[in-house]
Amino acid sequence: MADKKNKSGLISHGIAAQNRKGRFNYTILETTEAGIVLKGPEVKSLRMGRAMITEAYAGERDGEIWLFNSYIPEYQAGVLSRFDTRAPRKLLLHRKQVAHLLGAVTRAGASLVPLDIHFNARGIAKLTLGLGEGRKKEDKRHAIAERDWQRDKARLIRSKGRDY
């Protein structure tokens, strides 16, 4: 899904922040879309597309799931836009989803990995949360080799197409 920006340079719908390292370090078993509790200036700053979730993680606090250590910079155009850039943010999920995710984390030792923050078609900020298991070093090497092979294969197919 390509980022859609209007004339002012703000993201109306599409990906605002992505955690590419999360898919590399973890084998994602399933994904869940969750809402995020944000303040007005935080949403405006997200629409600028400068947020980072590479070091972010999700965890349990008081029976709810929260997003910790995500960085959303202060909105520069606003006068009263002072907020903590790395504040924990509550994730909005159904009770059954929370029970399922927390059960998988405690039972199987899985991790909750934030994969991306995006705006849906209605313009509401959502977080794609992955339930993943950590990869070992040899699994990461295999993933790199597979990715390189796919890239080389595509390059060979493109070059063969030009010869004919």
Side-chain angles (χ1 to χ4, degrees), residues 1 4 12-15 33 47 118-126:
M1 178 189 293
K4 303 286 183 188
S12 59
H13 62 279
I15 295 176
E33 188 177 75
R47 288 193 187 280
H118 62 277
F119 289 97
N120 66 4
R122 292 175 44 205
I124 298 172
K126 300 285 185 178

Side-chain angles (χ1 to χ4, degrees), residues 68-80:
F68 299 102
N69 204 27
S70 62
Y71 176 73
I72 299 176
E74 289 185 0
Y75 182 60
Q76 298 299 321
V79 177
L80 300 173

Side-chain angles (χ1 to χ4, degrees), residues 17-19 51-57 67 69-72 114-117 127-128:
Q18 198 170 23
N19 184 5
M52 287 182 15
I53 58 170
T54 51
E55 291 120 18
Y57 62 95
L67 181 66
N69 204 27
S70 62
Y71 176 73
I72 299 176
L115 299 175
D116 66 32
I117 297 177
L127 174 87
T128 304

